[in-house]
Amino acid sequence: MADYLKDYQDELRRVGDVVFKSRHRSPVLIVVGKAGELVGESQSMDKTMVAAPSSESARTVALLNRVFPVTKAAHTSRGPVRLGRSGENDVAIPEYSISKAQCYFDFEPEGIKITDCGSTNGTIVDDKPIPPSEPVLIKDGARISLGRFAFEFRTAVGFHAAVKSMIR
């Protein structure tokens, strides 16, 4: 299973456009950098760490270029795709600045919407914090900040185009 952009680039080179598109039909989140710094120390590994905005654009983040498919986990009920730190989510991101239940994605006729679950650090789309429980339509290429990390949202079509553009 591919985890990083390089893995997807290698796969696209190996299998070609048609097979790649058939394998990757879901949108993805790609870690593109830092959105904040951790503030204080956690008293418990069970609590979400608070992150403060950072002006630094660190490109040496451990998760940099990690790809998280936005899709339902195997054997889960229908409904929105839930994202959070906990393994109970469809998309689990093991990072203590991301809440156990951070946000969720709804696939609507007009497009994909993201809704914050009242998370500790909030969910920020294109530099605008979104109010908890208020769905926001997101577009291909949107920058989403969750905890101390910045992600790029890509639809399946946008992801294929982005991966293809990186191949020399």
Side-chain angles (χ1 to χ4, degrees):
M1 178 178 196
D3 285 329
Y4 289 87
L5 274 175
K6 184 182 180 325
D7 300 322
Y8 288 96
Q9 292 168 349
D10 292 344
E11 179 186 3
L12 180 57
R13 278 190 199 98
R14 262 192 340 273
V15 302
D17 290 327
V18 173
V19 172
F20 187 90
K21 286 178 184 179
S22 72
R23 288 182 180 173
H24 305 290
R25 296 180 181 178
S26 298
V28 299
L29 289 171
I30 304 166
V31 179
V32 294
K34 242 181 184 178
E37 296 290 335
L38 294 178
V39 176
E41 293 183 29
S42 177
Q43 275 64 33
S44 164
M45 295 301 275
D46 205 34
K47 298 230 185 241
T48 302
M49 298 282 295
V50 175
S54 173
S55 58
E56 179 184 339
S57 96
R59 307 294 293 171
T60 58
V61 176
L63 291 176
L64 188 65
N65 293 324
R66 176 88 189 261
V67 177
F68 294 92
V70 178
T71 186
K72 292 295 285 180
H75 312 294
T76 58
S77 59
R78 297 182 77 168
V81 175
R82 300 196 174 280
L83 179 148
R85 179 177 78 236
S86 161
E88 298 164 2
N89 291 285
D90 299 304
V91 181
I93 301 176
E95 163 53 32
Y96 283 97
S97 65
I98 292 176
S99 292
K100 286 182 183 178
Q102 176 79 32
C103 61
Y104 60 88
F105 297 84
D106 267 319
F107 294 76
E108 303 285 336
E110 64 271 19
I112 300 170
K113 292 183 177 179
I114 187 171
T115 305
D116 181 73
C117 296
S119 61
T120 300
N121 290 305
T123 299
I124 301 168
V125 177
D126 291 330
D127 298 323
K128 295 178 191 155
I130 62 172
S133 303
E134 290 187 27
V136 172
L137 190 65
I138 52 174
K139 303 283 185 196
D140 185 61
R143 182 182 173 99
I144 300 174
S145 297
L146 306 171
R148 64 181 174 146
F149 290 101
F151 297 81
E152 184 177 87
F153 173 80
R154 287 292 182 176
T155 61
V157 171
F159 180 55
H160 172 256
V163 171
K164 189 169 184 161
S165 73
M166 294 176 202
I167 296 175
R168 301 176 212 264

